Amino acid sequence: ESKRAGGARITFYDSSLNRAGDWLFSLEQRLPRAIAEGELVLHFQPKVRLSDFRIVGLEALVRWQHPEHGLIFPKDFVALAEETGQIVELGKWVVRACIRQQAAWRAEGLALVPIAFNVSARQLEDDHLCAFIRDELEAHALEGRLLEAEVTETGLVESVEQAGRVLAALEGLGLSIALDDFGSGFSNLNYIRSMPIGTIKIDRAFVCDIRNRPSDAVIVESIVALAHKLGLCVVAEGVETLEQIVHLKTARCDVVQGYYLSRPVPAAAACELVRGAYVKQG
Ligand code: C2E
Ligand code: MG
Ligand code: MG
Ligand code: MG
């Protein structure tokens, strides 16, 4: 690339930048085929209740099993899909995959726990999402309470009324709603007040240093106290150590999720975790 600046010709070429651009461009081009040809997979991460260390839910996290590049993580394609609008198709794929997974596990006789899926702002813009989920649930004779939708604050800012309507409809189908990454944005309490939110997921930024930063411990305790007074459940994200668990238990946090308990794992491994009913205890 070259630029003209006051007559002097400055040429610059950043090959690494360009390569990153090419890479993202190629992913964008291929994503529709990836969805259609079954290259997306879900991994599942358990949510563990602190009172008895039982698995009370799973979070579905999408990965792209690319034939040439191997396993690709959401940071490399989810934001891209949000920008291009492909997230709507991707989101439908995710919901359908969650419902089919539950139906398959039910057929195997597994005691089902709710599966949470992540919802992007774009998906809350139209009401088709609810009809789609309702139809998929019906097609597999599955109860809505076996699904949970995780939304982030940024997913709600665009149109609070529209998002509230969609979330209320999802709640009407029996789904529970969790506010993801809480504390990382504006932490607008208005959302908690005006949306049918049942769970707050405290962002891992407040969890990682909870042992060394008293202010983080105070923030977590305060969020938990507020949430409990409002009748909400609290999940702490990104739990990597036993010390963090001890602090979160002291703070009266209800549920923990993170590498210490289990990384996100493929369906077969997740099934084994749920069968075992509990993971590593401190
Ligand atoms: P999220 O919903 O907040 O999910 C938690 C992320 O933290 C996941 O990353 C998970 O693997 C990671 N994580 C879990 N435990 C730990 C831990 O102990 N330490 C650390 N450092 N990380 C941990 P992942 O799977 O790469 O997903 C990143 C984000 O991509 C998600 O954040 C979510 O916002 C988005 N995402 C994932 N799947 C989907 C999807 O199906 N649809 C949409 N719209 N977004 C998705
Ligand atoms: Mg999430
Ligand atoms: Mg999160
Ligand atoms: Mg996140």
Side-chain angles (χ1 to χ4, degrees), residues 102-157:
Q102 288 289 40
W105 277 335
R106 180 184 54 196
E108 287 176 36
L110 187 72
L112 301 181
V113 295
I115 296 181
F117 57 91
N118 292 281
V119 180
S120 296
R122 270 297 248 288
Q123 296 175 266
L124 296 174
E125 276 172 20
D126 71 296
D127 304 300
H128 289 92
L129 179 69
C130 294
F132 178 79
I133 293 176
R134 187 197 58 218
D135 293 349
E136 286 291 317
L137 284 170
E138 265 174 31
H140 292 86
L142 200 79
E143 294 168 67
R145 65 170 182 83
L146 291 169
L147 292 182
E148 181 170 33
E150 295 192 3
V151 296
T152 58
E153 263 189 309
T154 42
L156 302 177
V157 258

Side-chain angles (χ1 to χ4, degrees), residues 165-240:
R165 206 163 43 238
V166 173
L167 294 184
L170 290 179
E171 193 193 34
L173 292 176
L175 278 77
S176 52
I177 315 292
L179 191 54
D180 206 350
D181 302 343
F182 189 77
S184 67
F186 295 105
S187 307
N188 189 334
L189 298 176
N190 187 39
Y191 295 138
I192 296 175
R193 196 166 55 111
S194 57
M195 307 268 176
I197 286 158
T199 299
I200 287 177
K201 298 189 75 179
I202 300 180
D203 194 77
R204 75 160 182 270
F206 296 99
V207 173
C208 59
D209 269 346
I210 197 168
R211 186 165 168 247
N212 302 313
R213 292 181 54 168
S215 61
D216 285 0
V218 169
I219 289 170
V220 170
E221 275 169 35
S222 308
I223 294 175
V224 174
L226 173 72
H228 283 174
K229 278 186 184 156
L230 292 169
L232 307 175
C233 172
V234 183
V235 178
E237 300 190 279
V239 176
E240 296 182 353

Side-chain angles (χ1 to χ4, degrees), residues 78-113:
V78 166
L80 204 68
E82 285 171 343
E83 279 165 33
T84 60
Q86 292 166 324
I87 193 70
V88 173
E89 278 309 304
L90 189 152
K92 282 183 178 175
W93 182 88
V94 168
V95 165
R96 188 180 278 141
C98 287
I99 291 172
R100 288 187 177 173
Q101 188 59 72
Q102 288 289 40
W105 277 335
R106 180 184 54 196
E108 287 176 36
L110 187 72
L112 301 181
V113 295

Side-chain angles (χ1 to χ4, degrees), residues 2-128:
S2 62
K3 254 189 183 173
R4 280 193 179 280
R9 193 182 165 85
I10 304 162
T11 305
F12 68 93
Y13 182 80
D14 186 329
S15 63
S16 66
L17 243 180
N18 204 50
R19 267 201 305 277
D22 285 351
W23 155 253
L24 294 177
F25 182 71
S26 76
L27 290 186
E28 180 185 329
Q29 295 300 300
R30 273 200 54 106
L31 188 56
R33 255 175 67 199
I35 297 173
E37 290 176 15
E39 290 174 13
L40 298 183
V41 289
L42 292 182
H43 282 187
F44 300 90
Q45 188 176 38
K47 302 181 184 186
V48 175
R49 185 163 59 199
L50 275 179
S51 63
D52 56 4
F53 275 84
R54 291 187 80 84
I55 295 176
V56 290
L58 297 170
E59 178 173 4
L61 296 154
V62 70
R63 277 92 180 86
W64 181 351
Q65 187 66 62
H66 195 288
E68 292 129 54
H69 304 298
L71 202 62
I72 306 176
F73 287 82
K75 68 169 172 41
D76 281 330
F77 65 93
V78 166
L80 204 68
E82 285 171 343
E83 279 165 33
T84 60
Q86 292 166 324
I87 193 70
V88 173
E89 278 309 304
L90 189 152
K92 282 183 178 175
W93 182 88
V94 168
V95 165
R96 188 180 278 141
C98 287
I99 291 172
R100 288 187 177 173
Q101 188 59 72
Q102 288 289 40
W105 277 335
R106 180 184 54 196
E108 287 176 36
L110 187 72
L112 301 181
V113 295
I115 296 181
F117 57 91
N118 292 281
V119 180
S120 296
R122 270 297 248 288
Q123 296 175 266
L124 296 174
E125 276 172 20
D126 71 296
D127 304 300
H128 289 92

